[in-house]
Amino acid sequence: MLAVLLLPEFSELEAALALEAARRLEIPAYTVAKGRKGTLALAGSVWTPTYAFPAAPPPKALLIPGARRPERPAKDASWLAFLEEVWEGLEAVFLGFNAHLFLAEAGRLPKEVAAPGEVAEALQALGYWVVPGGFHREGKVYATQGGLALLPALSDWAGKAIEL
């Protein structure tokens, strides 16, 4: 089961891409956020999460789309509690274009990551090593450059090509 974590002002593209990839891989998927009220996305749409934190079933994989100021929710105890609750049971965590900052603030980002431009610079300033490529896996964390770079990372985890 794949959970897509909807941070405030998340990337609709990355969330939709993950949900479609899961559908094509025949992996159950759902969206989850702090509450069940509508969550504003970057391009202005509003999504209603399938589950709020307390009711979400335990996922095998978690995808965190990029968002505006993704580090802010990681300072909120309820976001951290959700991450803590599901972390040990996760096989994989996928990071969208700047979701690295959420995981870094939460203290769970591995030292070696793939990341795009400004995000790479911010991570290097925090002591992380940025490696070239669309995605880099360290442990269970797939750090990506975001957008379409999520597809090969999801394919790697699933062991199957994703045809869109």
Side-chain angles (χ1 to χ4, degrees):
M1 186 168 304
L2 173 69
V4 178
L5 184 62
L6 302 182
L7 299 175
E9 297 183 83
F10 68 95
S11 166
E12 295 103 318
L13 170 70
E14 292 179 347
L17 191 63
L19 293 170
E20 181 61 18
R23 186 184 74 77
R24 291 179 185 245
L25 291 168
E26 299 178 350
I27 296 170
Y30 63 86
T31 54
V32 62
K34 184 175 178 176
R36 283 268 300 135
K37 66 180 182 172
T39 302
L40 183 63
L42 275 174
S45 68
V46 176
W47 289 31
T48 302
T50 310
Y51 295 102
F53 293 155
K60 285 187 179 179
L62 180 67
L63 187 134
I64 308 171
R68 188 179 320 266
R69 296 181 302 270
E71 65 282 0
R72 292 179 91 191
K75 295 176 184 175
D76 180 317
S78 56
W79 291 90
L80 291 174
F82 172 76
L83 195 59
E84 178 71 28
E85 181 181 324
V86 301
W87 190 262
E88 289 306 315
L90 293 172
E91 293 175 9
V93 178
F94 302 92
L95 303 177
F97 75 94
N98 68 352
H100 313 63
L101 301 173
F102 173 78
L103 223 52
E105 183 68 30
R108 296 196 180 263
L109 187 66
K111 281 296 184 188
E112 203 168 289
V113 297
E118 290 178 15
V119 178
E121 291 172 14
L123 291 171
Q124 286 172 327
L126 294 172
Y128 293 93
W129 301 315
V130 178
V131 299
F135 78 89
H136 177 76
R137 178 181 178 199
E138 189 170 323
K140 66 175 83 181
V141 178
Y142 284 83
T144 79
Q145 295 214 10
L148 294 176
L150 286 166
L151 286 178
L154 286 161
S155 290
D156 183 76
W157 171 66
K160 296 182 190 176
I162 300 171
E163 305 272 336
L164 292 183

